[in-house]
Amino acid sequence: MSRVRSLLTMDAMPVRQDLALLILRVWMAGGLAALHGWGKIERLSADPVKFADPFGMGPEMSLMLAVLAEVGGALLVAIGLGTRWVALAIIFTLGTAFFTAHHGALTGQGNGELPFVYMAGFVALFVAGPGRFSVDARLR
């Protein structure tokens, strides 16, 4: 019975939280920057800029802030610099996209599944922190 329990709980697999946080940081931040944020950079040079303006700052400023969070912030999270603060900014940006551009929909045409899933990963990083394989850990 103890072999079955050990197999089911994967007791033979060593626990490596810091490695898991590194993988999560790089995977989530790399994916966000490449798949969600990078395309917005080209939109900055469009005339006129077409982007949602949920806070009345203008579409140009809203787009610049989204690019800053989704590309610049993601790169900072990937290396683990200012991780919790930057993750919070990304969570706010993705939450805004999820609720304004996608109307909180997880299914159907124009759903916000992608920002919702990315937001979950950044919430986990906000709660857990960057781990010891990060610039933040080196600065401590």
Side-chain angles (χ1 to χ4, degrees), residues 3 6 29 47 67 80 85 89 98-99 107 111 113 116-117 120 137:
R3 278 190 180 180
S6 179
D47 188 32
V67 167
W85 286 108
F98 178 68
F99 288 109
T107 60
N111 70 71
E113 180 183 10
F116 184 79
V117 170

Side-chain angles (χ1 to χ4, degrees), residues 17-18 20-21 24-25 28 77 82-91 118-132 136 140:
Q17 290 98 340
D18 292 309
L21 288 170
L24 182 63
R25 277 195 348 258
M28 294 301 297
V77 168
T83 306
R84 283 189 161 137
W85 286 108
V86 177
L88 194 59
I90 292 171
I91 291 163
Y118 275 116
M119 193 168 36
F122 285 98
V123 167
L125 289 168
F126 174 74
V127 171
R132 81 179 155 124
D136 287 343
R140 275 189 217 128

Side-chain angles (χ1 to χ4, degrees), residues 12-113:
M13 179 74 177
V15 176
R16 303 278 188 257
Q17 290 98 340
D18 292 309
L19 180 59
L21 288 170
L22 172 65
I23 292 167
L24 182 63
R25 277 195 348 258
V26 172
W27 197 310
M28 294 301 297
L32 179 66
L35 303 173
H36 205 70
W38 193 257
K40 289 181 176 82
I41 291 175
E42 291 178 5
R43 294 171 67 180
L44 284 170
S45 63
D47 188 32
V49 170
K50 292 181 181 163
F51 195 73
D53 184 21
F55 302 108
M57 298 182 292
E60 297 87 1
M61 180 61 78
S62 295
L63 179 57
M64 280 192 278
L65 290 172
V67 167
L68 185 63
E70 293 177 8
V71 178
L75 295 175
L76 289 174
V77 168
I79 66 170
L81 179 60
T83 306
R84 283 189 161 137
W85 286 108
V86 177
L88 194 59
I90 292 171
I91 291 163
F92 180 80
T93 301
L94 293 170
T96 301
F98 178 68
F99 288 109
T100 61
H102 303 283
H103 311 290
L106 288 172
T107 60
Q109 186 75 15
N111 70 71
E113 180 183 10

